């Protein structure tokens, strides 16, 4: 044993020194133990030759490789670094290599759970990867040529490294160019899509329905020499300064095609390809062309396939189905997962004769067939699929006709009696065509045949892929049952209003859980599992779900409402808008909790995507109420989609509530008023209360609080030059906030002597809460305000203020529901 009785770090150092000293092994690549790359390349384009798992003790080769694959897949390391020629592993006595291209398909499974601990060999996921690696080694590569004993095979190992670990080649200028091969062509495509694709003069969303995709242009670039594509059989070819696509014989029997130019005179294209050697070795061409299905952006892959459904929610959903349909439901009902991915949702189902599974990607169909084979061989290890080969098929649910379905499934859909016993059991993609700001994303959701066929019924819901699945099931498989994971927008989102008028049924049972428990899902919102029967037509206006937390713990129940017959809070606050300049601006974000962080007050308008209300004297109280209502309840995953509403009028007589809200707004962290942006009209304390050194520029909010006449001589802020207000009387909770705030202001002004030492420019008598926080907390390198200060006295004071503010928030919260800003 060459490296006995040493620790892992020393083992890595010894292996580097003994075998890889010609290379750079210092790079840290995510959580990968050992990385080997060529020297003298920029970090972003480092040419990696090996990523390896290391263990000090003798360890099973397959287990080490499985752990490495899980580590890479979990972090998506291949998106951040160019993949290496080989993956590998070594321990104290041996080292093994496996060509990266042999393993890379594993990383592109649509619904695999990459969140598991990569070193936990007991998980189903580890066993599945272990089995896949074992199959590749046994069937696809001569593994004996890649496995070496450090002592017995030292000469062979050195020869292997010498022949397979090569440097990049250089062009005539001496500039090192990176070779493209089976291992890195996908990652380089991702870089190309960000750099070159935007400069190709084509409307991508319009050409996608005709089968023209960006991957075809990348292949035209890749398999080319001197900017001329070498394979004329490709759908798109590069002709020096432009592309040629859609080659065809027209109606006159003549050859025709379309020419596509660059928008930047090919500058980005030239700069990009200067770094890479083209074409790849001809031996790789067929492989790369065959795997063109992988040449799509990751977000589009996630749209095409279903997300991995965590095991705990799969099991819970099947329990809910049993609760609704009885313990023999699998024998009495048919099940079709029409967004099956690799069949994750169908795990643990027992009656394979009643189950159908379809998916968009042939690769996923192949995976399911392989898992069926494993099940039949009694070699499951947690990865087998209890399905029939003939019941697993490729099918595009949003585009294909039902005539393409297997005969048995067609018979069920056509027969009304049988159809009543059909459950569409799915976790469809959650992709949106636009985000909340209205910025266009990959417009996948708008180009399906279903979206065109039912665009009137879908209306604003067309942006959501899962809504297209829902509407087709509702319209074309009537009287069936839908059992689906989805966002709760189909019940509560305003843009689903017309959809809800059409999409009706009887809600039987369901639960919600956090989106954070799902892989590849961004945001923090409730994902619901809903069982809806379509043979009864009822409006889905208010639905009660069971609630489960991230650890599968039962929390309680929550009612989700449609609010279709109500107005929203932004419609209410807009009734107080006055033209012209104001004391400050209230940033009015969209009506749901998910936009809470975009609600603030500031001297200047800071967010062009939101409405802004200029505050004048008459609107200070309504604005305070709006602000407090939007912030007094914390935004969570569960209330993320809840909508704030146009209130009833009871608040108008509740002066105590109004004053609580005013105090809350003045001292909340989202009060971003700064004297650096203009006059600070919102100083809540007189100079004498806080030992201010000179007079403030404005006393308007002080006068407002004390009920004094407000006279403004220097700008026309108000409808009247003078306005008399009643003195504001504050509740004990609000007064406690003022008291804590006063101590903070006083501490700032009492430091005047320190300001003098450091330079008088640091002190500003008109400092706001935001300015005081900025001074004490400072900012990081990115310009973001730090969370705390090095001044412990300040930390104590700001902590006391926040504590009192939280108590005030709890006092305000019940009124939010009483006055119907929110529905319970």
């Amino acid at each position: 044993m060459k490296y006995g009785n040493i620790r892992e770090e020393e083992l890595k150092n010894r292996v580097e020194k003994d075998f890889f000293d010609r290379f750079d092994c210092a790079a840290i690549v995510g959580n990968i133990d050992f990385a080997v790359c060529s020297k003298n390349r920029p970090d972003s384009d480092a040419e990696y030759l090996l990523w390896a798992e290391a263990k000090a003790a003798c360890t099973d080769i397959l287990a080490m490789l499985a752990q490495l694959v899980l580590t890479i897949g979990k972090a998506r390391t291949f998106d951040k670094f160019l993949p290496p020629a080989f993956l590998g592993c070594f321990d104290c006595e041996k080292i093994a290599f496996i060509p990266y291209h042999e393993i890379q398909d594993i990383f592109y499974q649509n619904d695999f759970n990459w969140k598991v601990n990569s070193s936990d060999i007991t998980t189903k996921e580890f066993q599945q990867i272990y089995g896949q690696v074992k199959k590749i080694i046994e069937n696809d590569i001569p593994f004996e040529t890649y496995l070496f004993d450090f002592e017995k095979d030292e000469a062979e190992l050195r020869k292997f490294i010498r022949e397979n670990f090569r440097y990049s080649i250089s062009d005539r200028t001496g500039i090192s160019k990176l070779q493209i091969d089976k291992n890195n062509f996908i990652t380089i495509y991702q870089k190309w899509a960000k750099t070159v694709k935007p400069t190709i003069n084509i409307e991508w969303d319009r050409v996608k329905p005709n089968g023209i995709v960006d991957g075809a242009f990348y292949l035209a670039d890749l398999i080319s020499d001197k900017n001329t594509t070498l394979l004329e059989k490709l759908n798109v070819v590069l002709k020096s300064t432009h592309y040629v696509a859609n080659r065809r014989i027209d109606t006159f029997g003549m050859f025709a095609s379309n020419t596509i130019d660059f928008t930047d005179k090919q500058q980005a294209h030239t700069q990009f390809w200067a770094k890479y050697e083209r074409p790849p070795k001809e031996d790789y061409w067929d492989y790369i062309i065959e795997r063109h299905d992988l040449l799509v952006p990751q977000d589009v892959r996630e749209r095409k396939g279903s997300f991995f459904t965590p095991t705990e929610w799969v099991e819970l959903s099947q329990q809910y189905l049993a609760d609704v349909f009885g313990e023999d439901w699998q024998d009495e009902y048919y099940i079709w997962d029409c967004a099956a991915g690799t069949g994750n949702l169908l795990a643990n189902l027992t009656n394979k004769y009643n189950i159908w599974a379809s998916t968009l990607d042939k690769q996923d169909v192949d995976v399911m067939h392989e898992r069926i084979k494993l099940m039949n061989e009694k070699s499951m290890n947690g990865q087998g699929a209890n399905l029939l080969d003939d019941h697993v098929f490729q099918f595009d649910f949003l585009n294909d006709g039902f005539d393409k379905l297997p005969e048995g499934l067609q018979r069920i859909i056509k027969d009304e009696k049988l159809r009543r016993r059909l459950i569409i059991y799915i976790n469809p993609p959650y992709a949106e065509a636009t985000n909340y700001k209205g910025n266009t994303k990959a417009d996948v959701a708008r180009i399906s045949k279903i979206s065109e066929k039912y665009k009137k019924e879908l209306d604003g819901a067309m942006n959501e892929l899962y809504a297209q699945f829902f509407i087709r099931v509702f319209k074309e498989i009537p009287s069936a049952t839908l059992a689906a994971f989805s966002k709760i927008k189909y019940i509560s989102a305003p843009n689903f209003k017309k959809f809800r008028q059409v999409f009706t049924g009887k809600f039987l049972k369901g639960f919600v859980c956090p989106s954070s428990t799902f892989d590849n899902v961004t945001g923090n919102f409730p994902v619901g599992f809903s069982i809806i029967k379509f043979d009864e037509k009822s409006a889905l206006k208010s639905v009660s779900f069971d609630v489960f937390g991230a650890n599968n713990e039962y929390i309680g129940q929550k009612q989700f409402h449609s609010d279709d017959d109500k107005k929203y809070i932004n419609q209410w606050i807009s009734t107080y808008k006055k033209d012209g300049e104001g004391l400050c601006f209230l940033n009015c974000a969209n009506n749901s909790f998910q936009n809470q962080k975009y609600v603030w007050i500031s001297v200047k308008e800071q967010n062009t995507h939101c409405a802004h209300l200029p505050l004048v004297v008459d609107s200070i109280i309504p604005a305070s109420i709006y602000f407090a209502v939007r912030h007094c309840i914390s935004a969570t995953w569960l209330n993320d989609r809840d909508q704030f509403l146009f209130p009833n009028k009871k608040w108008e007589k509740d002066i105590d509530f109004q004053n609580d809200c005013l105090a809350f707004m003045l001292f909340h962290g989202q009060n971003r008023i700064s004297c650096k942006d203009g006059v600070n009209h919102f100083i809540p304390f007189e100079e004498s209360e806080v030992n201010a050194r000179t007079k403030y520029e404005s006393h308007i909010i002080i006068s407002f609080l004390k009920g004094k006449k407000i006279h403004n001589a220097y700008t026309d802020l108000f409808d009247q030059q003078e306005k008399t207000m009643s003195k504001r009387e504050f509740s004990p909770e609000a007064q406690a906030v003022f008291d804590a705030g006063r101590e903070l202001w006083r501490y700032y002004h009492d430091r005047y002597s320190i300001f003098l030492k450091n330079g008088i420019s640091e002190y500003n008598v008109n400092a706001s809460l935001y300015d005081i926080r900025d001074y004490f907390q400072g900012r990081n390198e990115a310009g973001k305000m730090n969370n705390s200060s090095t001044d412990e006295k300040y930390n104590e004071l700001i902590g006391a203020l926040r504590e009192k503010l939280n108590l005030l928030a709890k006092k305000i919260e019940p009124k939010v529901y009483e006055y119907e800003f929110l529905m319970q």
Side-chain angles (χ1 to χ4, degrees), residues 581-586 601-604 613-616 665 673 681-682 717:
E581 191 179 359
L583 294 163
C584 68
F585 290 94
L586 172 66
I601 56 172
S602 56
V603 174
K604 293 181 179 180
L613 178 75
L615 267 65
V616 296
M665 181 180 76
I673 289 172
H681 297 289
F682 279 74
L717 291 175

Side-chain angles (χ1 to χ4, degrees), residues 202-217 219 234-236 245-246 292 295-296 447:
I202 193 170
E203 294 185 39
W204 296 103
D205 293 334
R206 293 186 62 182
V207 300
K208 280 179 185 175
N210 298 321
I212 298 176
V213 294
D214 58 356
F217 288 79
L219 286 178
L234 296 179
N235 294 334
V236 177
N246 196 23
H292 73 277
L295 299 179
V296 292
I447 61 175

Side-chain angles (χ1 to χ4, degrees), residues 768-785:
S768 66
L769 174 63
Y770 189 82
D771 295 325
I772 293 172
R773 291 173 55 222
D774 197 9
Y775 168 73
F776 283 106
Q777 294 173 212
R779 294 180 179 269
N780 60 24
E781 293 179 356
K784 184 178 179 181
M785 191 183 295

Side-chain angles (χ1 to χ4, degrees), residues 99-118:
Y100 179 86
H101 68 85
E102 296 285 358
I103 216 86
Q104 69 180 346
D105 281 3
I106 295 176
F107 299 125
Y108 294 92
Q109 298 175 98
N110 276 336
D111 58 353
F112 183 82
N113 177 24
W114 292 104
K115 289 188 175 183
V116 297
N117 185 339
S118 59

Side-chain angles (χ1 to χ4, degrees), residues 166-219:
R166 298 178 179 274
Y167 291 103
S168 302
I169 63 172
S170 301
D171 64 11
R172 293 176 185 175
T173 66
I175 299 173
S176 179
K177 286 191 172 186
L178 187 67
Q179 289 184 328
I180 301 175
D181 54 30
K182 294 187 286 186
N183 305 308
N184 60 21
F185 78 98
I186 301 170
T187 303
I188 293 172
Y189 158 75
Q190 301 287 354
K191 293 174 178 285
W192 176 93
K194 293 178 181 178
T195 306
V196 179
K197 177 184 174 181
T199 68
I200 300 173
N201 192 17
I202 193 170
E203 294 185 39
W204 296 103
D205 293 334
R206 293 186 62 182
V207 300
K208 280 179 185 175
N210 298 321
I212 298 176
V213 294
D214 58 356
F217 288 79
Y218 172 71
L219 286 178

Side-chain angles (χ1 to χ4, degrees), residues 440-459:
T440 301
K441 291 181 179 177
D443 209 5
V444 179
R446 292 186 177 274
I447 61 175
S448 73
K449 290 181 180 179
I450 291 302
S451 68
E452 287 298 312
K453 183 176 182 179
Y454 298 115
K455 60 183 176 182
K456 183 178 178 181
E457 292 88 345
L458 285 164
D459 194 50

Side-chain angles (χ1 to χ4, degrees), residues 443-579:
D443 209 5
V444 179
R446 292 186 177 274
I447 61 175
S448 73
K449 290 181 180 179
I450 291 302
S451 68
E452 287 298 312
K453 183 176 182 179
Y454 298 115
K455 60 183 176 182
K456 183 178 178 181
E457 292 88 345
L458 285 164
D459 194 50
M462 187 184 296
N463 286 345
E464 304 274 356
L465 279 178
Y466 81 85
Q468 296 183 32
F469 277 81
F470 280 23
I471 201 67
R472 186 176 195 187
V473 174
F474 175 80
K475 285 285 192 178
E476 300 183 13
I477 316 179
S479 70
T481 297
L482 178 66
F485 287 89
S486 72
K487 297 176 184 177
I488 308 298
K489 286 186 174 183
Y490 79 93
I491 298 170
S492 59
N495 61 322
F496 274 64
K497 183 175 181 178
K498 286 191 177 179
F499 178 85
R500 280 189 288 274
Q501 293 172 358
V502 178
F503 186 78
T504 57
K506 184 178 181 181
F507 182 88
L508 302 177
K509 195 170 185 179
F511 64 85
V512 292
C513 55
S515 62
S516 60
T517 59
F518 287 72
D519 200 12
N520 290 325
V521 177
T522 56
N524 198 24
F525 54 87
V527 172
F529 176 69
S530 310
I531 304 175
I532 305 171
K533 188 74 173 169
F534 291 136
D535 56 3
E536 296 184 39
K537 307 299 182 186
S538 301
L540 299 170
K541 288 185 176 181
S542 184
V543 175
S544 180
F545 284 85
D546 294 331
V547 180
F548 290 85
N551 297 317
N552 200 18
E553 74 279 16
Y554 178 73
I555 294 175
Q557 289 192 320
K558 178 174 172 61
Q559 201 81 14
F560 289 87
H561 308 274
S562 68
D563 305 323
D564 288 341
D565 56 347
K566 300 181 184 299
K567 295 181 180 179
Y568 295 98
I569 195 170
N570 281 351
Q571 293 170 287
W572 170 72
I573 197 64
S574 67
T575 62
Y576 295 94
K577 187 172 184 178
K578 300 290 179 68
D579 294 331

Side-chain angles (χ1 to χ4, degrees), residues 621 624 627-628 656-668 671 684 705 730-731 733-738 769 801 805 808 812:
I621 291 302
S624 300
F627 184 100
D656 185 62
F657 170 71
Q658 295 175 26
N659 291 342
D660 283 346
C661 291
L662 175 59
F664 186 88
M665 181 180 76
L666 290 175
F667 295 97
H668 193 275
N671 176 349
L705 294 172
F730 290 97
S731 67
E733 292 86 353
Q735 190 60 57
V737 171
F738 273 94
L769 174 63
L801 175 60
L805 200 68
L808 181 59
I812 295 171

